[in-house]
Amino acid sequence: PTAQSSKTPTLSSLIALSLLLSPLTAHADGDTKTFKLPPIDRSQPSSTRCVLKSSAIGQSNAARDSLFDLRECSLSGSNAKGMDLSGVILENTDLSNTDFTDAVISKGYLHTTNFKNSDFTNAVIDRGSFKGSDLSQASFKNTVLTGTNFDDANVEGADFTESAIGDFDARRLCKNPTLKGVNDKTGVDTRESAGC
C-alpha cells in the first residue's frame, strides 16, 4: 500500500462511522417515548367499541383486522382471562378489578389506565407500556414481563412474586418511587417481590 491509500478511508470504516453516528435503533414498544395515535372512532357507541375481545388471529404479535382501541372505556370488573389482547390501545380506561389471568398482551399501549386490584397472574406482557397507569394492589404473580415499561406508573402494593422480569427492566422498575407497600390480598412486600 502506498502512503496515499492508507490515508483514504475504506468503505468498511465509512460504514462503521455511519453506524456510530446514526440515530439509535428503534425501541421496543415498552420504551417508545412518543406515540402518534389516531383519533378515537366515536362513530361507534361505547357498548360496541368498548368490548374486550381476544385476537381472532391467535398470534401474540398484535396482528388484528382492525384497530383495537379501548381508550376512555369503562370496563371495571371485566373478565379477560386467557385472552390475547395484543395491540390494545388504552388511555384513560378503567380496567380496575379485572381478571387478566393467563392473558397475553404484546405491544400494548397501556397508558394512564386504572388497573387497580387487577390480576395478571400467569399472564405474558411483552413490550407493553404502563406509563402513568395505576397498578396499585395489582397481582403480577408468575407473570412474564419482557420489555415492559412501568415509568410514572403507580405500583404501590403490587405483587411481583415469581414474575419473570429481565435484568434491565427490573433495574428500571426498582427505580420507581411507588414500588413500596404490601399487597392487601397476599400480604407480600411489593419491593421484595420485585427482587429489589
Side-chain angles (χ1 to χ4, degrees):
T2 65
Q4 178 66 19
S5 64
S6 65
K7 292 181 182 178
T8 306
T10 64
L11 181 59
S12 61
S13 62
L14 287 175
I15 291 171
L17 183 60
S18 70
L19 290 173
L20 287 172
L21 297 177
S22 67
L24 297 173
T25 56
H27 296 288
D29 291 356
D31 284 331
T32 301
K33 298 297 181 206
T34 57
F35 291 86
K36 196 167 192 172
L37 300 174
I40 297 171
D41 180 5
R42 299 194 190 277
S43 66
Q44 298 179 48
S46 61
S47 60
T48 304
R49 185 179 72 79
C50 295
V51 177
L52 286 171
K53 54 187 175 251
S54 192
S55 172
I57 298 172
Q59 297 177 355
S60 303
N61 61 5
R64 290 184 174 269
D65 57 357
S66 63
L67 193 62
F68 192 19
D69 189 350
L70 298 178
R71 287 179 286 175
E72 300 179 11
C73 292
S74 182
L75 297 164
S76 179
S78 292
N79 183 357
K81 187 173 185 171
M83 287 187 176
D84 180 351
L85 302 173
S86 296
V88 68
I89 300 172
L90 304 174
E91 189 173 48
N92 301 321
T93 303
D94 184 2
L95 282 161
S96 58
N97 302 299
T98 295
D99 184 0
F100 291 101
T101 303
D102 299 317
V104 175
I105 303 173
S106 180
K107 300 178 183 175
Y109 183 89
L110 316 166
H111 289 202
T112 60
T113 292
N114 183 358
F115 292 104
K116 187 173 185 171
N117 295 311
S118 289
D119 188 357
F120 294 92
T121 299
N122 297 325
V124 175
I125 303 171
D126 177 47
R127 293 168 286 168
S129 177
F130 285 108
K131 186 173 177 69
S133 289
D134 183 357
L135 295 153
S136 58
Q137 297 299 319
S139 175
F140 290 96
K141 288 169 47 177
N142 201 43
T143 301
V144 176
L145 298 163
T146 53
T148 299
N149 180 333
F150 291 93
D151 292 352
D152 302 321
N154 178 6
V155 292
E156 187 168 353
D159 184 350
F160 292 94
T161 302
E162 296 182 17
S163 61
I165 308 172
D167 288 340
F168 179 74
D169 298 325
R171 282 194 296 265
R172 286 179 55 183
L173 177 59
C174 290
K175 291 178 183 175
N176 185 317
T178 66
L179 189 69
K180 60 185 176 183
V182 173
N183 186 278
D184 292 340
K185 289 180 185 168
T186 63
V188 171
D189 180 273
T190 296
R191 191 160 191 80
E192 285 179 22
S193 71
C196 300

